[in-house]
Amino acid sequence: MTAPALALSGLTIRDRSGTALVCDVDLTLEAGSVLLLIGETGSGKSLIAQAVMGLLPAGFTASGSIAINGHAPVEASQAGLLRLLWSRETLLLPQEPRAALDPTMRIAPQLWDAWARDGTARHGEAGHGLTTQEALAAVDLPPRVSRAFPAELSGGMAQRVLVASALVGRAPLVVADEPTKGLDAARVALSAALLASLGGAGRALLVITHDVALARALGGQLAVLRDGRIVEQGPADTVFAAPDHPYTRAWLA
């Protein structure tokens, strides 16, 4: 049996005052599948992504365990170890796209780095068989973007650059935090199709979103977070069609 791409057990995250913002979360994301995490602002969704990547804000603490891509579980408190072990096996598409782009580098070398970070790439290769220019074209960005610096891009363009980086990279686990934030309806549909193609290529997606249209398009498993706790989870189609929890029904309405 293939090991899960991501397994969270008893994940609890506390802020600087010791208040628990995420409480005893258990989640499993199978390899090559999609797990959608939805809930209102402040429910703890982004904190879960940050804990998985070892990027919690200073002063925040985590307990429980995290396992990625068949590796032995690691204590969630060991943020530095998480980054060291898994930086080449995970790709984060953060909610604020410019936070993931080096402001001193043009876009083309940053896309190449997404592919070559493990040191085994050969020139012209890419995870989906795409060059950097083809990846930019796939997200509806013109060739000139490859020569631009991040500060020269709008927020929506920067977001699409990050989706392009997922297309050229090879990380088996992609964590996407609000990947369609700031995009119009047409580009939401485009991004959904591109993210779905990653799952089709055998990569696992943890997608954190407020966007019901995106969630419906991606499908997979769905977990609903309220005040830091999972209140409902199951196949996305089933939850959308007949949500059990009153909070899920109210949120979808």
Side-chain angles (χ1 to χ4, degrees):
M1 180 179 294
T2 303
L6 174 66
L8 306 181
S9 179
L11 180 65
T12 297
I13 302 171
R14 298 180 183 275
D15 64 13
R16 297 173 183 86
S17 70
T19 301
L21 303 179
V22 172
C23 304
D24 200 27
V25 166
D26 296 333
L27 287 172
T28 300
L29 170 58
E30 299 298 336
S33 63
V34 177
L35 173 61
L36 302 160
L37 190 57
I38 67 172
E40 62 190 312
T41 299
S43 60
K45 305 185 305 299
S46 293
L47 286 174
I48 291 173
Q50 291 166 353
V52 168
M53 302 299 295
L55 295 172
L56 283 172
F60 282 54
T61 60
S63 59
S65 67
I66 301 172
I68 287 181
N69 300 325
H71 293 289
V74 172
E75 287 295 323
S77 59
Q78 300 182 41
L81 183 59
L82 296 178
R83 288 195 298 271
L84 178 65
L85 286 177
W86 297 332
S87 62
R88 293 177 177 177
E89 298 188 30
T90 57
L91 176 65
L92 175 65
L93 307 183
Q95 188 171 148
E96 297 302 331
R98 289 194 182 90
L101 297 172
D102 186 335
T104 68
M105 291 177 64
R106 298 182 190 274
I107 295 304
Q110 297 197 57
L111 290 178
W112 176 251
D113 182 64
W115 165 241
R117 67 177 62 187
D118 65 4
T120 63
R122 296 188 299 273
H123 183 68
E125 292 182 324
H128 270 42
L130 301 179
T131 65
T132 55
Q133 290 291 353
E134 288 169 339
L136 290 174
V139 295
D140 196 26
L141 289 172
R144 62 177 174 79
V145 169
S146 66
R147 302 184 296 276
F149 289 98
E152 299 174 299
L153 305 179
S154 68
M157 293 172 75
Q159 192 78 303
R160 282 181 280 154
V161 166
L162 292 185
V163 175
S165 75
L167 293 175
V168 300
R170 291 184 294 178
L173 172 62
V174 177
V175 179
D177 189 357
E178 299 290 356
T180 55
K181 181 181 178 181
L183 301 184
D184 59 30
R187 287 184 172 132
V188 167
L190 173 62
S191 293
L194 292 170
L195 288 169
S197 75
L198 298 178
R203 299 164 76 183
L205 301 176
L206 173 62
V207 180
I208 294 163
T209 186
H210 287 89
D211 191 333
V212 175
L214 175 66
R216 290 183 185 278
L218 289 176
Q221 294 292 306
L222 177 70
V224 183
L225 198 67
R226 182 187 188 190
D227 295 332
R229 297 181 182 275
I230 301 294
V231 297
E232 184 169 357
Q233 58 182 308
D237 290 347
T238 300
V239 175
F240 282 134
D244 286 333
H245 197 279
Y247 174 77
T248 308
R249 293 195 292 270
W251 192 88
L252 291 174

